[in-house]
Amino acid sequence: MRRLFDELALPAGGVTRQAAHLVPEPSNQYDRNAVKVVICGWHIGYVPNEISAEVATVLGGGQGVAPVRVWADPKD
């Protein structure tokens, strides 16, 4: 997250609105329905596994984009 906020010229943290790219990762060893979240080219995390199967189904094997609000505190 720190690198993302540095790249966005927000080194003190804060809040930003970005496009999150949702990328299915069927080869993920922990969850075959895993959906990776990528913002500005940075792998930020995954869609929670409680809803990953539903999101993967909606994506239909392709990728998706969703508007997101991201916040960070450099102290964390």
Side-chain angles (χ1 to χ4, degrees):
M1 291 300 288
R2 181 176 301 257
R3 287 184 263 170
L4 169 64
F5 273 72
D6 285 346
E7 184 175 299
L8 295 171
L10 298 168
V15 179
T16 182
R17 294 187 184 276
Q18 298 294 321
H21 295 263
L22 305 175
V23 183
E25 199 174 77
S27 62
N28 184 295
Q29 65 180 342
Y30 302 105
D31 181 1
R32 65 184 174 91
N33 294 307
V35 178
K36 182 168 50 173
V37 178
V38 178
I39 300 173
C40 295
W42 295 98
H43 177 188
I44 300 300
Y46 289 91
V47 168
N49 66 348
E50 297 84 16
I51 62 169
S52 63
E54 181 180 353
V55 173
T57 298
V58 169
L59 293 174
Q63 297 185 16
V65 179
V68 295
R69 182 173 59 105
V70 184
W71 61 95
D73 182 340
K75 297 174 192 164
D76 293 337

